[in-house]
Amino acid sequence: MAVERKMQKTIIGFVPYQSPIYALHPLVRLVIFLVTGFIPLFVEIPEVNILFLIAIIGLFIYSKVDLKKLKMYMPMVFTVGLFIFVTYLFFPIAKGEKILLYQLGAVKLYYNSIMWATCIYFRIIALLFASIFYFSTNRERDMLIAFRSLKMPFVATYFLGLSLRATGIFMEDYQIIREAEQARGLDVSDLSFVGKIKHFSMYMIPLFTLSIRRCEEISVGLYSKGTVISNKIDGRKRPDYLMSKNPVTQKDIFYSAAIVLFFLAFCSLQVFGGVFSLDNSPINIAILKLLKGG
């Protein structure tokens, strides 16, 4: 008796087959990803990017993605924040009003640098989680359908598909290596932060070795099947099986156009009106008044 699978593999995770996100065509999902990937770049106000990040988390919940899987990205979130704040601490920016908060020897802590570091941090985190959401809810097949819907050349989509497949295999190999180490009794929780970084760098040797082997296997497999990287066979255009099963409807075009128009309207508010500039941040305004005693 066949067992019905409830979960399907995406590029970096697993999502239920009945996830509501699959009611949208892959083209619409790609447009959402591109828009959410650019919106934080036009926003300087940290509060807006925090709300945007909450909206992305809401999409995770709506799509029934297991939020426990996000724990693996927490070290990255912490490392990015540490790097940004240290950089702005030792290399303060000239933009904004300089207000000295603290000085220790030659190191000076300016409010404007810390505030800009906060803006940059939440901007990057918002972009990071938008990317994680897309790759957590889409398969290589979905991305190929989306790009072919945009009339991308067959060779480009073929190369993209192989690259995405290699990315998924890379993540699986990484998980296998970690489980093998845990089975041998390795406990990385006892390592220091620096020790964890050194240990992670040691993963690169077996991972690159496996990647080279996978590339050779894929090459041999394609050659044995007589695969030709062209969208034509005997001078005729190759039938596109994926697009025949997932045609773009007028509804999909309408959704995509509406999302793009929203994005353009949102960006115009910042480009022509500076609505989302740091000077309009309520938190920044309140802190500046407090520091100036006003």
Side-chain angles (χ1 to χ4, degrees), residues 27-29 31 35 251-261:
L27 174 62
V28 181
R29 282 180 263 155
V31 172
V35 169
K251 181 179 68 173
D252 300 324
I253 297 176
F254 172 77
Y255 286 158
S256 301
I259 296 171
V260 172
L261 290 176

Side-chain angles (χ1 to χ4, degrees), residues 168-231:
I169 295 175
F170 185 89
M171 296 296 292
E172 291 178 0
D173 290 338
Y174 171 70
Q175 189 65 30
I176 291 173
I177 293 174
R178 289 194 59 186
E179 292 177 354
E181 289 185 335
Q182 293 174 358
R184 292 184 174 91
L186 177 65
D187 186 7
V188 296
S189 61
D190 294 334
L191 297 176
S192 62
F193 181 74
V194 177
K196 290 181 180 180
I197 295 178
K198 292 181 179 179
H199 184 73
F200 179 78
S201 63
M202 294 174 62
Y203 285 144
M204 296 299 103
I205 298 175
L207 283 175
F208 277 117
T209 303
L210 289 172
S211 297
I212 294 174
R213 184 186 303 172
R214 301 288 190 188
C215 290
E216 184 178 0
E217 292 174 353
I218 293 175
S219 176
V220 173
L222 292 175
Y223 178 78
S224 63
K225 293 179 180 179
T227 302
V228 179
I229 305 178
S230 173
N231 64 339

